């Protein structure tokens, strides 16, 4: 997956801090939407990318992310709380034969699901290979 970003800071370890504009639901193809895109102004996301292209502060760059990694992270973040809630609900209702017990264990499963998500967030923050500057845009 590639996106356009702006370099906001060059770090000493061969990486750069970048600012990436968030993609909208229509993929920035606003003329195809029913006018909803321009109404939503989403703040840019700040990230760190490997700076193989030698970009400098202010450069517009093309960044590439590993689509597989991004999809696995998204699956964990969105599906794990859902799955643990329903697993807790079914186990609680079956073990205790009470709906409220299912709800309580479902809520506990939902809350517990955030532990691996927080750990993943910390690990992704330390990774140097999630984003990579592919090239510097010329004349943009």
């Amino acid at each position: 997956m590639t996106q356009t970003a702006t370099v906001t800071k060059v770090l000493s370890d061969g990486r750069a801090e970048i600012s990436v504009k968030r993609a909208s639901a229509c993929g920035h193809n606003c003329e195809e939407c029913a006018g909803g895109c321009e109404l939503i102004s989403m703040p840019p996301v700040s990230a760190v990318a490997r700076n193989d292209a030698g970009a400098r502060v202010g450069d517009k760059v093309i960044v590439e992310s590993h689509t597989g990694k991004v999809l696995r992270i998204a699956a964990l973040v969105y599906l794990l709380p859902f799955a643990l809630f329903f697993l807790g609900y079914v186990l609680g209702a079956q073990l205790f034969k009470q709906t409220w017990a299912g709800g309580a264990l479902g809520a506990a499963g939902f809350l517990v699901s955030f532990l691996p998500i927080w750990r993943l967030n910390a690990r992704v923050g330390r990774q140097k290979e999630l984003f990579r500057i592919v090239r510097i845009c010329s004349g943009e």
Side-chain angles (χ1 to χ4, degrees):
M1 173 179 2
T2 60
Q3 291 180 284
T4 303
T6 303
V7 176
T8 56
K9 185 177 183 181
V10 175
L11 306 174
S12 60
D13 61 355
R15 299 183 302 161
E17 201 171 277
I18 57 173
S19 177
V20 182
K21 192 173 181 183
R22 291 185 191 188
S24 63
C26 61
H28 296 301
N29 192 9
C30 292
E31 59 273 3
E32 297 296 321
C33 284
C37 279
E38 53 253 328
L39 298 177
I40 301 172
S41 177
M42 296 169 40
V45 175
S46 195
V48 175
R50 198 171 77 200
N51 189 6
D52 292 339
R56 296 185 303 235
V57 174
D59 284 347
K60 297 280 185 199
V61 294
I62 302 296
V63 279
E64 180 182 76
S65 61
H66 300 285
T67 306
K69 281 185 183 179
V70 173
L71 290 177
R72 282 192 299 275
I73 291 167
L76 179 72
V77 169
Y78 289 109
L79 296 178
L80 187 64
F82 180 77
L84 288 183
F85 171 79
F86 282 105
L87 179 65
Y89 183 83
V90 169
L91 286 176
Q94 290 296 317
L95 289 174
F96 300 106
K97 306 291 186 215
Q98 298 287 329
T99 305
W100 66 267
L105 280 180
F110 179 80
L111 293 174
V112 165
S113 72
F114 289 102
L115 293 173
I117 292 170
W118 283 323
R119 289 189 63 186
L120 175 70
N121 185 47
R123 195 176 79 204
V124 167
R126 290 189 305 266
Q127 280 185 349
K128 297 181 181 181
E129 301 299 321
L130 193 57
F131 294 101
R132 181 173 66 97
I133 297 175
V134 178
R135 66 179 169 89
I136 301 169
C137 298
S138 57
E140 291 182 31

